[in-house]
Amino acid sequence: RKEVEQDPGPFNVPEGATVAFNCTYSNSASQSFFWYRQDCRKEPKLLMSVYSSGNEDGRFTAQLNRASQYISLLIRDSKLSDSATYLCVVNIGTGRRALTFGSGTRLQVQP
Amino acid sequence: NAGVTQTPKFQVLKTGQSMTLQCAQDMNHEYMSWYRQDPGMGLRLIHYSVGAGITDQGEVPNGYNVSRSTTEDFPLRLLSAAPSQTSVYFCASSFGLAGVGEQFFGPGTRLTVL
């Protein structure tokens, strides 16, 4: 089982739609959680951190469910510019000083 | 600030050749790392460093060497290139020593080994 798993998609949605992605992680000791965005042939960039209480940034909402070991990303009122790959990132708590990246979920917002 | 810079942007090697991928950051970050990204695999950690003179192996270190002589630079050396090393390589840096804060990535190096 992969340490961090995501549905690769693609998720094809119309402009204005609401779309949600989930990501599961295998280690219950995981401590830090993030969503990164990666545009085609570009480097990943931090979209938002995920806190235990959840957090919201404009149209984006991230939540953590420790009991079921998953994090989610909700995008409301999708824009064409939201088209990208969204990477789930976790510090899996093995003592290695690094983050573990999921393989990403591709979102395509269509006009 | 330039952030994290990487050179070259593209490189084609023949099997058995060696080369060094350059990475530099001007944010005074202690933590730096190298990842490779392959289709469907996500980013996988190759090596990382928590400061000048300190490096450690990541998930996929075989075939790669690193050194960290200054805070700013963290080059990645391919000792004897193999087709399996065809990939996109990203260098990243972050505040602190734990490597779990926001990662700032360079633009990547696209490497093809024939």
Side-chain angles (χ1 to χ4, degrees):
Chain A
R1 181 184 173 189
K2 288 184 180 178
E3 293 170 327
V4 179
E5 290 204 68
Q6 296 183 251
D7 181 342
F11 283 60
N12 294 303
V13 302
E15 271 187 290
T18 296
V19 61
F21 312 134
N22 279 349
C23 162
T24 58
Y25 58 94
S26 61
N27 191 335
S28 60
S30 298
Q31 297 166 355
S32 305
F33 308 89
F34 308 90
W35 284 102
Y36 278 68
R37 171 191 168 128
Q38 186 173 23
D39 293 309
C40 188
R41 302 179 73 81
K42 298 286 191 180
E43 71 272 23
K45 292 184 179 178
L46 179 67
L47 177 66
M48 58 198 310
S49 302
V50 187
Y51 305 119
S52 296
S53 56
N55 55 314
E56 186 173 316
D57 183 3
R59 296 181 294 107
F60 298 83
T61 301
Q63 292 191 314
L64 167 64
N65 185 317
R66 284 195 183 272
S68 300
Q69 293 182 210
Y70 74 86
I71 65 173
S72 63
L73 178 67
L74 181 77
I75 306 175
R76 289 180 297 277
D77 189 22
S78 299
K79 311 289 185 192
L80 294 175
S81 57
D82 294 334
S83 298
T85 296
Y86 291 84
L87 307 176
C88 171
V89 185
V90 178
N91 166 234
I92 61 173
T94 60
R96 184 201 307 151
R97 290 194 254 191
L99 296 170
T100 300
F101 285 74
S103 55
T105 297
R106 193 156 71 87
L107 171 66
Q108 185 67 45
V109 181
Q110 296 166 337
Chain B
N1 286 350
V4 181
T5 57
Q6 291 183 237
T7 56
K9 285 188 168 53
F10 302 93
Q11 183 69 50
V12 179
L13 293 178
K14 294 181 180 176
T15 297
Q17 287 184 315
S18 63
M19 79 160 294
T20 298
L21 308 186
Q22 302 292 343
C23 174
Q25 53 91 11
D26 61 0
M27 296 174 282
N28 204 32
H29 287 168
E30 291 295 334
Y31 185 94
M32 296 186 73
S33 55
W34 276 101
Y35 292 87
R36 59 177 288 173
Q37 186 174 36
D38 302 294
M41 298 286 290
L43 282 86
R44 291 183 292 167
L45 182 68
I46 304 171
H47 286 283
Y48 66 95
S49 168
V50 297
I54 307 170
T55 64
D56 205 348
Q57 295 182 348
E59 182 185 354
V60 288
N62 292 342
Y64 307 95
N65 272 357
V66 291
S67 59
R68 184 98 178 267
S69 56
T70 66
T71 299
E72 293 77 21
D73 300 298
F74 190 43
L76 178 72
R77 279 183 290 279
L78 279 71
L79 308 173
S80 177
S84 60
Q85 293 178 305
T86 293
S87 189
V88 181
Y89 291 84
F90 288 103
C91 178
S93 71
S94 70
F95 286 113
L97 302 178
V100 297
E102 179 180 0
Q103 305 292 306
F104 295 83
F105 286 87
T109 295
R110 297 181 183 278
L111 175 68
T112 301
V113 182
L114 303 175

